[in-house]
Every structure is written in C-alpha cells, then in structure tokens.
C-alpha cells in the first residue's frame, strides 16, 4: 500500500512537471504574441502622429482612421471593406432596389476594377459594358493603385452628368473609351415573358423584392396560359446576375424544391456553420426547369444554380459562372457606419465549394457574336427554298384545310423560335431543351 501511495505521488509530481514543461512555453508564446500586438499598435500610433504633425498638407484625423480601417479590411479579400455612414446608407438603398450610379457590379483584380456584370436596363448596360470588362481609367484618371471603394467613388456623381470610362476587353486589340450618363438606378429585379409554351423568368439581382416579384410574375404567366398544363417548362435566366442577399437566394431555390439542403455555410469555427433546407412546395409543379448562367452570374446566382443542379431539378446551361463562393456579413458600427466582413464560405448541397471555380453548366453553350446583315439575308434566302417553289410541283391533296392551317401555324412557331436564335442563342437553346423534354412526355 505504501509503495502504491508513493507511486501515485510520484506520478502526480511527474504530471505536474510535464504539465509545467508543456504549458510554460505555450504561455510564453501567447504573451509574446500579445506583446507584439501592443508594439504594433504603438507603431501605428507613432505613424499616425507623425502624419498629423509632418505631412506636407494638413490632414483630417477622422479620414486617416477610416482609411486605416478600410485598408485593414481590404487587405483580407476583395469583398471585405469599411462602409462610412454615407456608404452604409447607399448600401441599404441598393438592397431595397433603388440607388444612383452607372448600374454595374464590380470587383477588383490586378489593381483594376473588373465588371462582374452590368445590371439590366441601366446606363452601363445600354452603353454596352460587358461582364469581364476591366475599367482602367475614369475621366482620364488611372484607377491603378486605388482601393475598390476609392475607384467606385470616382465613378459616382450627380444624376444626369457624363462620365468617360476606359475599358480593356478580351478580344479587343486596344483599350477604348465609353461615355455613360449617370442616372438613378431603379432595379427591375424580375422580368418575365412567354416564349411559345415556355415561361422565361429573368432575375437581374437578389434583393428584398426578388422572390415575391418572381412568384407573382410566375403565377401571372401560368394564369395567362390557361393553367400549368399549358406550360412545358420554365427558364430561370441568371446571366449577368451579380448576386445579392443570401436569404433571397434560399427563397428562390426553395420555390422549386420540395426537400433537401439548399446551401450550407462554413465559417472558421465549426459552430459558425449553418445549413438551409427546402420546404414542401414547388411553384413549377414539377415542370422541367432550365437555368441560364454565364461569367457574370455570381454569389446568390451561383447558390440557386448549384442547388437546382445538385438536386437534378434543373438543367444548367451557358458558360462557367463567376466563382464567388464567400458570404459577407454587414456589421453595424458605433459610428453609424458598417463593416462588410467575409465570415464564411458557402457550399452546394453536394458539398462543392465554388469559390474561384464557379458553377460548371451541364451543357456549355456560348453566346455567339451577332451575325451581320448580309449573313442574315443569305440565311433567309437559303431557308425560303422548298419543293413548293419548284415549277410544276404536285399539290398535297391528302390534307384538309384545317390540317394545312395547323401545319402552317406550327411552322410559324418554329420560325419564331429560329428568329430567337439570332437575338439570343443561349435562351433559344434553353427553350429548345424544354421543347425536347416536352416532346418525350406522354400525349393527352
């Protein structure tokens, strides 16, 4: 017993020594890190005071602090930033769907402003700005070396005023200037139309209005068609949609799913993650869906495309999406400003992170350049020749007048679809897919 007690005591002593030997260096490291942080803060204070005292011009202390905060955030990634009180107000206006500017969603790459996408119907869209364009100068002033917010500030100005931006575009030999008139941007977040028996839902962004507007217009189109049985499917057009609110992306995805995960977010700590699941109810009532994406489809658009693709609820066509797979949280600050901080990555239901990789379409369909007038005329001439044009051709006497009229009506619909290929090849391809799926279905 005595030996046992001595062994136990010895084990306790050894445990204390071992713990001390391990813990002491760790504590020392933590203390050194803390001391280093305080030294760096002292260094910041020294630099701040020297700038105030010795810079060639008098500077505003508040602006210096804001610049330091913004620099700290923008050094993390392209999407984290500081929002001054004025910028925070503008951000809230944009989320509600009305704001002033050119109408482009931008990011920063290689020191220049890169267009994620122009917004439908805005001055930038009408001026021909395209996703992937680089903006190098504003009114002749270079943007190289400016942080994104500074570059964006140069593009802002009074409504009705002109701005000249210099654009570098892949495939163009030289940079070129584009003059744009600033305007108040009132987002039409959802546009809808019927093409043949298909309903096309064009979503231009994800703000507070997106899901309710989409649901409302979908119901209107179905009612106008005389019921869901007269619809062969839906096209959800997310091309050049730069994203927006995560909550709206979840609602739009949920609108066409009955169950399963929509998206998951994972932060630095396991406890920071979250999962969002679909609820029962499919606005399309099981009808086929085609989702259109391109290089301007980012963030929330990629959540929707990825969720519907992973659940095999939609065929995704177009070109690879932008690849913004991170989540930003806007945190209010005591100064009435705010901080936009990247807090998580998001993952599709199958566990894919699309950060930097994007969503790959099931069928790659590029938008070809528009045909010239002479090419279109030549195509129309070739189409017009048929057996009926030949001299002395036989009449078709096996069909009634009603049957002939039906054939002519079907041909007219097919010709309209062919015309759409000239106007928007990717959309025409999507509608052709829905037609093909419908043709394989049971007949009444």
């Amino acid at each position: 017993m005595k030996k046992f007690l001595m062994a136990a005591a010895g084990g306790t002593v050894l445990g204390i020594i071992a713990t001390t030997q391990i813990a002491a260096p760790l504590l020392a490291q933590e203390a050194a890190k803390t001391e280093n942080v305080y030294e760096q803060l002292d260094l910041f204070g020294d630099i701040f005071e020297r700038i105030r005292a010795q810079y060639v011009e008098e500077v505003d202390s508040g602006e210096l602090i804001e610049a330091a905060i913004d620099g700290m955030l923008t050094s993390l990634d392209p999407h984290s930033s500081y929002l001054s009180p004025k910028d925070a107000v503008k951000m809230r206006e944009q989320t509600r769907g009305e704001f002033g500017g050119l109408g482009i969603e931008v990011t920063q790459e290689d020191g220049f402003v890169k267009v994620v996408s122009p917004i439908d119907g805005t001055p930038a869209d009408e001026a021909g700005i395209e996703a992937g364009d680089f903006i190098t100068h504003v009114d002749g002033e270079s943007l190289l070396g400016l942080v994104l917010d500074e570059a964006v500030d140069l593009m802002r100005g009074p409504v009705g005023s002109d701005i000249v931006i210099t654009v570098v575009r892949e495939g163009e030999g030289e940079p070129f200037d584009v003059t744009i008139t600033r305007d108040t941007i009132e987002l039409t977040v959802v546009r809808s139309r019927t093409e043949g028996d298909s309903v096309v839902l064009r979503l231009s962004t994800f703000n507070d209005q997106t899901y309710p507007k989409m649901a409302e217009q979908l119901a209107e189109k179905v009612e106008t068609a005389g019921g869901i049985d007269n619809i062969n499917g839906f096209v959800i057009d997310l091309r050049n949609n730069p994203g927006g609110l995560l909550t709206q992306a979840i609602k739009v995805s949920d609108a066409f799913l009955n169950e399963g995960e929509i998206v998951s977010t994972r932060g630095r700590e396991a406890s920071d993650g979250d999962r969002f699941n679909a609820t029962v109810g499919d606005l399309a009532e099981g009808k086929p869906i085609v989702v259109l994406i391109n290089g301007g489809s980012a963030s929330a658009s990629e959540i929707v495309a990825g969720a519907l693709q992973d659940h095999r609820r939609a065929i995704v066509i177009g070109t690879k999406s932008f690849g913004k797979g991170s989540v930003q949280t806007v945190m209010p600050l005591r100064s009435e400003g705010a901080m936009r901080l990247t807090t998580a990555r998001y993952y599709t239901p199958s566990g894919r992170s699309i950060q930097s990789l994007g969503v790959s379409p099931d069928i790659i369909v590029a938008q070809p350049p528009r045909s010239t007038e002479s090419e279109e005329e030549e195509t129309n001439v070739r189409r017009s020749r048929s057996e009926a044009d030949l001299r002395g051709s036989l009449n078709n006497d096996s069909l009634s007048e009603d049957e002939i009229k039906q054939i002519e009506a079907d041909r007219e619909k097919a010709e309209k679809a062919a015309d759409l290929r000239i106007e928007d090849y990717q959309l025409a391809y999507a509608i052709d897919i829905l037609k093909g799926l419908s043709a394989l279905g049971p007949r009444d």
Side-chain angles (χ1 to χ4, degrees):
M1 184 69 179
K2 185 176 181 183
K3 288 181 181 179
F4 176 78
L5 290 172
M6 288 178 66
T12 303
V13 171
L14 287 173
I16 292 170
I17 292 170
T19 302
T20 304
Q21 287 176 340
I22 294 170
L26 290 176
L27 291 171
Q29 287 177 12
E30 285 300 316
K33 285 181 182 178
T34 303
E35 185 177 345
N36 187 44
V37 168
Y38 283 120
E39 286 177 358
Q40 289 174 317
L41 287 173
D42 287 340
L43 175 62
F44 173 80
D46 288 343
I47 293 172
F48 177 72
E49 289 301 330
R50 290 199 181 190
I51 291 171
R52 290 180 62 195
Q54 298 177 11
Y55 186 65
V56 66
E57 295 177 355
E58 188 173 345
V59 292
D60 183 275
S61 298
E63 290 180 0
L64 278 179
I65 295 294
E66 284 191 358
I69 294 170
D70 191 51
M72 179 167 54
L73 287 164
T74 55
S75 70
L76 300 173
D77 63 73
H79 308 294
S80 296
S81 62
Y82 170 71
L83 299 170
S84 67
K86 188 198 307 183
D87 290 338
V89 169
K90 287 180 180 177
M91 185 272 298
R92 286 190 286 271
E93 288 174 351
Q94 181 171 344
T95 302
R96 287 195 298 269
E98 183 175 319
F99 55 97
L102 305 180
I104 49 176
E105 180 80 10
V106 294
T107 186
Q108 196 162 39
E109 188 175 302
D110 299 329
F112 293 109
V113 173
K114 182 178 182 180
V115 177
V116 176
S117 68
I119 300 169
D120 288 352
T122 61
D125 181 42
E126 291 169 1
I129 300 300
E130 298 179 2
D133 284 349
F134 283 91
I135 300 174
T136 62
H137 294 73
V138 170
D139 290 330
E141 184 175 343
S142 174
L143 303 184
L144 187 62
L146 298 182
V147 298
L148 186 59
D149 284 347
E150 291 173 332
V152 170
D153 281 341
L154 285 178
M155 288 186 273
R156 289 176 178 150
V159 171
S161 62
D162 287 343
I163 177 176
V164 179
I165 61 174
T166 304
V167 175
V168 172
R169 178 176 295 167
E170 186 177 355
E172 296 285 343
E174 297 289 335
F176 56 92
D177 290 340
V178 179
T179 301
I180 305 176
T181 303
R182 297 179 178 96
D183 199 359
T184 299
I185 310 302
E186 296 182 8
L187 291 181
T188 304
V189 294
V190 179
R191 289 185 175 90
S192 61
R193 69 197 228 220
T194 302
E195 288 286 347
D197 298 325
S198 306
V199 173
V200 180
L201 298 166
R202 164 71 184 144
L203 277 57
S204 60
T205 190
F206 285 86
N207 63 24
D208 288 334
Q209 304 172 31
T210 304
Y211 171 74
K213 291 288 185 185
M214 184 195 74
E216 176 187 328
Q217 293 191 32
L218 185 152
E220 286 177 1
K221 293 300 177 189
V222 170
E223 184 180 355
T224 302
I228 195 72
D229 291 338
N230 296 323
I231 300 294
N232 68 8
F234 296 85
V235 177
I236 303 174
D237 187 354
L238 299 176
R239 291 173 298 175
N240 293 332
N241 182 321
L245 298 177
L246 174 64
T247 52
Q248 289 293 305
I250 292 167
K251 286 182 178 180
V252 168
S253 302
D254 191 8
F256 304 104
L257 295 172
N258 278 311
E259 60 180 1
E261 183 179 299
I262 293 171
V263 66
S264 63
T265 61
R266 304 177 200 173
R268 187 164 67 180
E269 304 294 337
S271 58
D272 294 336
D274 209 345
R275 293 180 184 275
F276 302 90
N277 296 311
T279 56
V280 175
D282 177 1
L283 294 184
E285 297 186 32
K287 291 287 184 176
I289 297 172
V290 174
V291 174
L292 273 172
I293 61 171
N294 65 4
S297 307
S299 187
S301 300
E302 295 171 295
I303 290 176
V304 174
L308 298 183
Q309 184 183 54
D310 280 2
H311 283 288
R312 302 176 67 85
R313 182 64 187 91
I315 299 170
V316 178
I317 75 167
T319 54
K320 184 175 74 70
S321 64
F322 185 76
K324 181 182 177 293
S326 59
V327 178
Q328 283 68 49
T329 303
V330 177
M331 306 173 182
L333 301 174
R334 66 183 70 180
S335 63
E336 295 187 2
M339 174 173 65
R340 185 190 289 115
L341 186 67
T342 299
T343 54
R345 288 183 173 89
Y346 64 73
Y347 295 77
T348 67
S350 64
R352 291 180 297 162
S353 169
I354 60 173
Q355 177 61 30
S356 300
L357 297 175
V359 172
S360 296
D362 299 305
I363 304 173
I364 296 175
V365 182
Q367 189 82 297
R370 287 183 177 272
S371 302
T372 62
E373 287 185 16
S374 59
E375 287 173 340
E376 288 176 15
E377 287 172 5
E378 185 180 341
T379 302
N380 289 333
V381 168
R382 286 201 301 268
R383 282 180 186 164
S384 65
R385 295 183 61 82
S386 70
E387 170 72 15
D389 297 320
L390 299 178
R391 184 176 305 195
S393 62
L394 298 175
N395 292 326
N396 189 327
D397 57 3
S398 65
L399 299 174
S400 68
E401 286 188 14
D402 288 342
E403 287 172 326
I404 292 172
K405 286 180 181 178
Q406 182 61 49
I407 289 172
E408 289 175 345
D410 291 341
R411 182 183 298 128
E412 186 179 351
K413 286 172 68 175
E415 288 172 352
K416 283 183 179 178
D419 290 340
L420 182 60
R421 290 191 193 101
I422 298 170
E423 177 191 335
D424 188 338
Y425 182 79
Q426 289 174 318
L427 178 58
Y429 197 106
I431 290 169
D432 284 345
I433 288 176
L434 293 177
K435 281 183 184 175
L437 292 172
S438 176
L440 293 174
R443 292 189 179 275
D444 296 335

